[in-house]
């Protein structure tokens, strides 16, 4: 069964180059770093850290090779979440 708290979760990997998560989304996002190190929105991250992006937030840039779990509360899957 699907979680009612976070109906959509996805695993994604950030290569050495930067990945940007688009801004202005109508839902909040929770991002958990599983592996790797780098920066997100100019702040350093490490495995096990959780990042919260409020609804209508600015775009988030992730740099550094890393692996993440992303959870969000959209009623339908977001079709264009990651923009590189």
């Amino acid at each position: 069964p699907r979680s009612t708290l976070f109906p959509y979760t996805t695993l994604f990997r950030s290569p050495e180059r930067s990945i940007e998560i688009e801004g202005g989304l109508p839902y909040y996002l929770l991002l958990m770093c599983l592996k790797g190190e780098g920066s997100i929105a100019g702040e350093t991250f490490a495995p096990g850290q959780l990042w919260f992006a409020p609804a209508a937030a600015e775009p988030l840039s992730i740099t550094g090779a890393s692996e993440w779990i992303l959870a969000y509360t959209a009623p339908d899957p977001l079709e264009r979440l990651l923009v590189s």
Side-chain angles (χ1 to χ4, degrees):
R2 197 164 30 165
S3 166
T4 56
L5 182 57
F6 303 111
Y8 294 100
T9 55
T10 189
L11 173 69
F12 71 92
R13 290 175 179 86
S14 173
E16 288 294 331
R17 60 178 173 49
S18 177
I19 281 186
E20 189 168 281
I21 297 176
E22 67 182 295
L25 296 171
Y27 312 105
Y28 66 86
L29 308 172
L30 291 174
L31 297 108
M32 177 185 260
C33 180
L34 300 175
K35 291 183 189 176
E37 295 177 338
S39 67
I40 181 170
E43 300 288 327
T44 58
F45 65 79
Q49 291 182 325
L50 184 68
W51 293 82
F52 173 79
E58 296 293 319
L60 289 175
S61 181
I62 299 173
T63 58
S66 53
E67 189 171 293
W68 295 82
I69 290 177
L70 168 64
Y72 56 98
T73 59
D76 297 307
L78 298 173
E79 296 198 13
R80 194 160 171 235
L81 188 59
L82 299 175
V83 180
S84 49

